[in-house]
């Protein structure tokens, strides 16, 4: 499960960084399950500022009038879009907390971390797939 958490925290980070919270909402399809995974990951990574912003933005998305979020997700992202504009919050870009560093430290401290050479990675994969991998 921690690999899923890592993936989706990274997904959230890059969606926000490249296009703001509105892009994350639109591209992710706004999933309560996904949002819980991201929230859990931010907590595990000991993020305070990013977690606070994420929860604030989630509440903002949830505050949309009935049907507005569905209409947003089914519509076009670009062009005039009041819902997209409402969901944007540029404070992400001025947060001093370095989520990449927190994420990296969390991964480095993970009890299941196994650092391997490239050759050893192939050997491990061969055990998993049950046959030799052409190199």
């Amino acid at each position: 499960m921690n690999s899923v958490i890592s993936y989706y925290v990274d997904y959230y980070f890059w969606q926000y960084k490249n296009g703001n919270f509105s892009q994350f909402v639109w591209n992710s399809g706004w999933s309560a399950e996904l949002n819980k995974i991201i929230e859990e990951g931010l907590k595990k990574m000991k993020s305070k500022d990013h977690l606070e912003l994420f929860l604030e933005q989630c509440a903002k998305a949830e505050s949309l009038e009935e049907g507005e979020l569905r209409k947003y997700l089914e519509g076009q992202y670009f062009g005039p879009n009041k819902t997209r504009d409402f969901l944007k919050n540029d404070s992400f870009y001025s947060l001093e907390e370095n989520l990449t560093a927190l994420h990296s430290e969390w991964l480095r401290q993970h009890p299941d971390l196994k650092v391997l050479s490239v050759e050893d990675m192939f050997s491990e994969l061969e055990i998993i797939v049950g046959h030799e991998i052409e190199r």
Side-chain angles (χ1 to χ4, degrees):
M1 180 63 177
N2 284 325
S3 59
V4 172
I5 288 171
S6 178
Y7 175 84
Y8 282 117
V9 167
D10 191 59
Y11 174 80
Y12 160 74
F13 176 81
W14 286 105
Q15 287 294 309
Y16 208 133
K17 186 170 178 89
N18 291 327
N20 214 297
F21 190 77
S22 59
Q23 179 176 302
F24 165 72
V25 171
W26 198 77
N27 282 341
S28 72
W30 194 247
S31 162
E33 182 180 357
L34 172 63
N35 295 342
K36 282 293 178 199
I37 291 169
I38 294 167
E39 180 181 349
E40 181 182 349
L42 292 172
K43 286 177 182 176
K44 284 185 172 194
M45 293 170 195
K46 296 181 175 50
S47 167
K48 291 186 305 191
D49 298 340
H50 283 277
L51 175 61
E52 182 180 323
L53 177 62
F54 179 72
L55 294 175
E56 176 185 314
Q57 288 301 110
C58 285
K60 195 173 188 181
E62 294 296 329
S63 77
L64 292 170
E65 292 192 21
E66 189 173 330
E68 188 176 352
L69 183 59
R70 183 179 34 76
K71 183 179 175 187
Y72 172 66
L73 295 173
E74 293 172 357
Q76 295 295 316
Y77 184 79
F78 295 104
N81 191 321
K82 69 180 180 85
T83 305
R84 178 200 61 216
D85 296 342
F86 171 75
L87 290 172
K88 288 186 175 185
N89 183 336
D90 291 342
S91 64
F92 173 90
Y93 305 105
S94 60
L95 291 177
E96 291 188 23
E97 180 181 72
N98 186 332
L99 185 55
T100 302
L102 291 172
H103 192 163
S104 175
E105 183 61 26
W106 178 68
L107 289 172
R108 278 195 296 275
Q109 300 301 319
H110 197 278
D112 295 330
L113 176 66
K114 197 176 205 182
V115 179
L116 302 170
S117 67
V118 173
E119 182 58 39
D120 289 342
M121 282 188 258
F122 275 107
S123 297
E124 288 285 324
L125 285 171
E126 288 171 343
I127 292 168
I128 292 168
V129 297
H131 62 81
E132 190 172 321
I133 298 172
E134 187 176 327
R135 295 178 173 87

